[in-house]
Amino acid sequence: MKIVVISGSPRKNANTQIIMKYVYEYAKLKNQDIKFINLSEDDIECYKGYDVEYNEATKTAAKEIMDADVWLIGTPIYNSFFSSALKNLFEYVDYKKTAGKVAGMIILAAGDIGFINVQNLVTQLLSYFRVITNPKAVFLTTKSLTENSITDEDVQIRLKEMVDETLELATKLHQD
């Protein structure tokens, strides 16, 4: 089973990046066939249509998403929406190559507001790609982080549970 972890914030030193690196390291213990797409470090170009030649980082990220069986997606809430960088990334993904994949999500905000709305928006996007979404998203605030690490043990447990449940769902769906 192939896994891709996506850190959906374009900001350098983003809190989302800290969380998703934690998710990546934990998921890697479960499965070595794993890739990490970090929108704050990877040079993903702005989508301009199908007839444009994109850089290697952009083409590789799209391929890794389409090849993966499981997507673990983290996004910050910006202006009551998920990040535009994350939406841009999915412009490169061919919906004909994604049916039946499974996704889990982590949503990060500065305060305790907007989580369900953003979860619904991400779920709608993933539904377009015919991806089955783990309904148990992890909602976090920036209060969960101290000095560039996750110090809240409850948050660590919730992140691990989401990864485990998403992988279990994928395993059940892909059994022949």
Side-chain angles (χ1 to χ4, degrees):
M1 184 166 33
K2 295 180 181 182
I3 302 169
V4 66
V5 175
I6 302 169
S7 178
S9 174
R11 293 180 180 172
K12 299 290 180 201
N13 304 315
N15 289 321
T16 303
Q17 178 181 184
I18 295 164
I19 292 163
M20 296 315 292
K21 283 182 178 178
Y22 181 87
V23 168
Y24 172 78
E25 291 301 326
Y26 178 72
K28 192 162 71 168
L29 297 172
K30 304 288 181 173
N31 187 321
Q32 292 295 306
D33 197 354
I34 186 168
K35 303 290 183 183
F36 187 68
I37 298 172
N38 186 347
L39 297 183
S40 69
E41 293 177 356
D42 297 342
D43 187 24
I44 307 300
E45 295 178 289
C46 185
Y47 183 76
K48 296 177 183 168
Y50 287 110
D51 57 344
V52 175
E53 184 63 29
Y54 295 100
N55 68 23
E56 208 52 45
T58 302
K59 291 188 279 190
T60 299
K63 182 177 181 345
E64 288 172 351
I65 291 169
M66 289 183 282
D67 288 350
D69 302 299
V70 176
W71 303 347
L72 300 172
I73 303 168
T75 185
I77 296 177
Y78 294 152
N79 299 319
S80 299
F81 212 81
F82 58 90
S83 82
S84 59
L86 183 63
K87 173 62 170 78
N88 179 67
L89 177 63
F90 277 94
E91 294 295 341
Y92 298 100
V93 176
D94 182 351
Y95 73 93
K96 295 174 187 167
K97 297 180 181 178
T98 57
K101 296 180 185 299
V102 177
M105 72 180 88
I106 298 97
I107 300 168
L108 178 68
D112 293 319
I113 191 164
F115 292 111
I116 299 297
N117 290 337
V118 172
Q119 180 186 20
N120 286 337
L121 293 168
V122 174
T123 301
Q124 287 173 357
L125 175 67
L126 296 176
S127 291
Y128 171 78
F129 290 100
R130 295 177 274 172
V131 171
I132 299 153
T133 306
N134 179 346
K136 189 175 176 182
V138 177
F139 303 144
L140 302 175
T141 66
T142 54
K143 296 174 205 162
S144 320
L145 302 166
T146 307
E147 298 179 19
N148 294 326
S149 66
I150 303 169
T151 53
D152 186 326
E153 285 185 34
D154 178 58
V155 168
Q156 293 175 0
I157 290 168
R158 290 189 294 134
L159 290 168
K160 289 175 181 178
E161 285 176 350
M162 185 279 301
V163 170
D164 290 342
E165 291 169 7
T166 303
L167 294 176
E168 182 180 341
L169 179 60
T171 300
K172 287 178 181 177
L173 289 170
H174 293 112
Q175 287 177 345
D176 292 328

